[in-house]
Amino acid sequence: MRDRLPLWVQLRCGLEPRALAALAVVLVGAAVFAATHFWSSRPEAVSAPGRVTEAAEVRTGGEGAQSAQISVPTPVPHTGSSTGTASGGQIVVDVSGKVLRPGIQYLPAGSRVADALRAAGGVREGADATSLNRARVLTDGEQVAVGVPGAPPPASGPGTGGSAAGPAGPAALVSLGTATVEQLETLPGVGPVLAQHIIDYRTEHGGYRSVDELREVNGIGDRRFADLRPLVRP
């Protein structure tokens, strides 16, 4: 190899064969390193991650792609149970007199007198119910009296086309056994609460056998009883 080197190199360096061999190895290694470094540092194409690609497709797809990726749940209307008369579609009536099961009856709104009689077990055998209009529509808080002598006429319900009958005159008395809350409120000093107490006593004791039993109703003292006594009957 020394013979192949230029003459000026041979003369200037005066290298021994071993030194020349080592120098050649170093030069070859440097060339290999330089080639490797150049090859590894060349630019390469890098693929984007999967999620970034999907996001780009959604943006370029417009509203159609977004509607395909996002599903909006359909709202479900809430149906809660209600117990009020208007919202729950239910009325409460008091069926008294000559029926098999007298008392409070809970009926659907729009029920008629015939429905109330069926809910109370029907009219007792031999009872006179000819004065009742079985087709009349009931109202909430109404009382249906069957076969009770001197019972006040029922108030006209929706769709009956008639009006409620007025009092017979100044001497007309309110029946404690059949009067509704509204009828009891016409008495002096009787409000909704006291009227309900009078009806509750009637329901618990099966009616009034005499006017004196008003003294046992909660809220009626001697003075109020004295005012009510000439205006009511059992």
Side-chain angles (χ1 to χ4, degrees):
M1 181 176 292
R2 183 177 182 183
D3 296 338
R4 295 180 180 179
L5 292 175
L7 180 59
W8 63 273
V9 175
Q10 296 181 18
L11 295 175
R12 190 173 185 86
C13 297
L15 298 176
E16 294 296 330
R18 290 183 178 180
L20 290 175
L23 180 59
V25 171
V26 172
L27 292 175
V28 172
V32 172
F33 176 77
T36 305
H37 179 72
F38 175 77
W39 181 263
S40 61
S41 62
R42 76 187 191 282
E44 297 180 358
V46 180
S47 60
R51 291 186 178 179
V52 177
T53 303
E54 293 177 0
E57 292 177 357
V58 171
R59 286 195 297 269
T60 57
E63 297 180 356
Q66 291 182 359
S67 62
Q69 295 290 336
I70 303 174
S71 61
V72 180
T74 303
V76 179
H78 174 71
T79 55
S81 60
S82 56
T83 57
T85 302
S87 58
Q90 188 180 67
I91 60 174
V92 182
V93 296
D94 181 15
V95 183
S96 61
K98 298 181 180 180
V99 291
L100 295 181
R101 294 190 301 271
I104 299 297
Q105 303 296 337
Y106 298 88
L107 302 171
S111 298
R112 301 178 183 271
V113 173
D115 300 323
L117 296 179
R118 278 194 298 270
V123 180
R124 292 182 182 178
E125 185 177 358
D128 183 13
T130 55
S131 61
L132 293 177
N133 181 6
R134 297 172 184 260
R136 182 175 57 83
V137 179
L138 296 168
T139 58
D140 184 56
E142 181 181 345
Q143 184 182 43
V144 179
V146 181
V148 178
S156 60
T160 57
S163 58
L173 301 179
V174 177
S175 172
L176 297 176
T178 59
T180 63
V181 172
E182 291 76 9
Q183 292 169 341
L184 291 173
E185 289 180 10
T186 61
L187 298 173
V190 178
V193 176
L194 183 56
Q196 188 60 48
H197 288 170
I198 296 174
I199 292 179
D200 292 341
Y201 181 91
R202 178 179 67 199
T203 303
E204 294 175 3
H205 297 81
Y208 288 88
R209 288 173 291 276
S210 67
V211 177
D212 293 337
E213 292 186 23
L214 275 179
R215 294 177 180 271
E216 303 178 16
V217 176
N218 183 22
I220 297 181
D222 294 338
R223 182 176 179 180
R224 183 163 295 173
F225 174 74
D227 295 337
L228 296 177
R229 184 171 187 176
L231 304 176
V232 297
R233 59 183 177 83

